[in-house]
Amino acid sequence: MPSNTHTVMVTGASGYIAGWIVKYLLEAGHTVHATVRDPNKAKSVDHLKRIADAAPGILKLFKADLLDAESFDAPMQGCDILMHTASPFVLDGFTDANEALVRPAVEGTRNVLNAANRCDTLKRVVLTSSVASVYGDATDMKGKRAFTEADWNTTSSVNHNPYQYSKVAAEREAWKIHDAQKGSAESRWDLVTINPGMVYGPSLTNASNSASIGTLLDMGRGKLKTGVPALEYGMVDVREVAQAHLLGAFKPEAEGRYILVSQSVSMLDIAGMLRKQFGKQYPFPMMKVPKPVVWAVGPFMGPVTRKFISRNVGYPLRFDNSRSKALGVNYRPAADTLKDHFEQVLEDGLVRRR
């Protein structure tokens, strides 16, 4: 693929990860066809317009909806790269997980990629997936040194870890559509998936837009000062995730899946890094809550089931990120990511500066 400028469609362009992708594309001089639910909603698109005004690239906004199969044809026209980032991220507050999460993720992917099949100019699709597509629970790592791109989540369902299930179902649908067109005489586009862990780092709008914000708010406000469960996450900076999308799009040799995790961190690790950066005046937790206590009270504190607790609390989590490093991703230290993110939390007034 030539290294000159491209026309790139980005779905869900107002999102946390997508904002950084659009920024890097525009700064590199590319033309971006950005799809959003409402191009006239200033809160969603003004930051993208400001970036475009200061960058050499060209931004074009389009209205599209994941469940409207025809809405992606117009923005797809003339594009040679598609970055599909749009997917629902809700962990609680719904009564029907299939309707809230799984159907929009799978049907949305199907609708976008069917539009890709109708676009003669498209050459590559980069899909924002997740490590949730690689594993469902920490206990899935039994017998492994670390999760790799060869692993697939087979333990999640609509009833257990429905968000994780929506991600693996959507990615499998993408590979199914890709393989079907690849086997035809009209093979045109190849597929790269980016599978990030828990994404931290500053948002281009405000801190509350990031999916990982809940943990930082709970720690900064003292909700977790009595202690945290022994839970580990694969963590990554949002800026690295965005850069990985560009590497996946423009490096000719990029192919397949890429796990994006800088390192595994526990909730206590996160608290310790924040305390080191911001001082003891904030009520960051200093101890682990014993698993029996988590088991007893966890289900009363949010969307946490005892099945999740039994399969995740107290178990290690490791990821092999060698493929993403070989692609060209350079990971910054987790402490730097958390410092930048919590600083934005303070700037935005979500936690009182002390």
Side-chain angles (χ1 to χ4, degrees):
M1 209 169 281
S3 59
N4 55 359
T5 58
H6 298 262
T7 302
V8 185
M9 175 171 153
V10 180
T11 68
S14 60
Y16 173 46
I17 295 171
W20 283 100
I21 293 173
V22 172
K23 174 180 168 67
Y24 292 150
L25 287 169
L26 291 171
E27 288 176 348
H30 302 292
T31 297
V32 178
H33 290 191
T35 74
V36 292
R37 283 186 178 177
D38 183 359
N40 297 312
K41 188 177 179 183
K43 187 180 176 184
S44 295
V45 301
D46 275 5
H47 67 293
L48 300 177
K49 290 178 178 178
R50 284 195 300 272
I51 292 165
D53 288 343
I58 297 168
L59 175 69
K60 298 180 180 180
L61 292 169
F62 293 84
K63 179 181 174 66
D65 186 276
L66 284 176
L67 297 182
D68 180 351
E70 308 301 318
S71 66
F72 294 98
D73 284 315
M76 195 87 70
Q77 290 308 302
C79 293
D80 57 327
I81 303 284
L82 160 65
M83 296 193 187
H84 178 38
T85 80
S87 189
F89 187 94
V90 280
L91 298 180
D92 59 354
F94 52 81
T95 52
D96 186 333
N98 192 65
E99 281 301 303
L101 286 167
V102 183
R103 191 170 78 88
V106 175
E107 280 192 27
T109 297
R110 187 182 303 137
N111 288 338
V112 171
L113 295 187
N114 282 342
N117 277 340
R118 295 191 290 270
C119 177
D120 293 338
T121 56
L122 200 72
K123 296 289 183 274
R124 179 167 291 180
V125 174
V126 182
L127 174 77
T128 312
S129 188
S130 169
V131 293
S133 188
V134 171
Y135 82 105
D137 296 296
T139 49
D140 295 352
M141 209 178 84
K142 186 177 180 182
K144 304 175 188 290
R145 183 189 64 81
F147 288 114
T148 74
E149 287 83 359
D151 293 307
W152 285 89
N153 175 1
T154 59
T155 57
S156 297
S157 67
V158 174
N159 299 313
H160 174 62
N161 291 342
Y163 169 72
Q164 288 88 327
Y165 180 65
S166 77
K167 297 305 290 186
V168 69
E171 189 185 334
R172 285 201 179 277
E173 182 69 12
W175 283 111
K176 178 180 163 188
I177 295 169
H178 163 266
D179 292 348
Q181 66 91 36
K182 194 174 182 183
S184 74
E186 299 177 11
S187 172
R188 281 193 307 271
W189 53 270
D190 51 17
L191 177 62
V192 173
T193 72
I194 305 298
N195 298 69
M198 182 66 83
V199 183
Y200 286 87
S203 167
L204 289 173
T205 50
N206 57 65
S208 61
N209 268 16
S210 56
S212 53
I213 191 67
T215 301
L216 296 185
L217 294 183
D218 288 348
M219 288 188 179
R221 293 170 177 173
K223 184 178 177 183
L224 302 173
K225 65 181 177 182
T226 55
V228 288
L231 268 176
E232 289 195 10
Y233 305 100
M235 180 177 152
V236 64
D237 192 288
V238 65
R239 292 160 288 193
E240 267 98 80
V241 178
Q243 290 286 9
H245 280 74
L246 272 70
L247 291 167
F250 303 131
K251 275 204 162 187
E253 67 271 25
E255 53 85 28
R257 310 170 85 201
Y258 291 93
I259 287 175
L260 261 285
V261 169
S262 60
Q263 67 184 83
S264 292
V265 293
S266 68
M267 292 187 75
L268 204 57
D269 291 335
I270 292 172
M273 291 179 202
L274 289 170
R275 186 181 304 105
K276 191 171 182 181
Q277 297 277 6
F278 293 93
K280 294 179 180 176
Q281 63 267 38
Y282 292 94
F284 301 126
M286 298 182 71
M287 60 180 287
K288 289 180 188 174
V289 177
K291 189 167 181 174
V293 177
V294 180
W295 175 271
V297 304
F300 302 103
M301 298 186 71
V304 179
T305 65
R306 290 204 166 108
K307 187 174 182 179
F308 176 86
I309 292 166
S310 69
R311 294 186 178 189
N312 292 278
V313 173
Y315 291 98
L317 208 52
R318 298 292 177 268
F319 299 90
D320 182 345
N321 64 6
S322 56
R323 254 178 72 77
S324 61
K325 284 183 174 179
L327 184 67
V329 177
N330 295 308
Y331 292 105
R332 73 192 73 205
D336 291 357
T337 298
L338 290 168
K339 177 179 180 291
D340 291 349
H341 202 161
F342 197 73
E343 186 58 47
Q344 187 181 29
V345 167
L346 297 176
E347 285 288 325
D348 290 350
L350 299 174
V351 169
R352 183 174 58 84
R353 194 181 287 277
R354 303 185 182 199

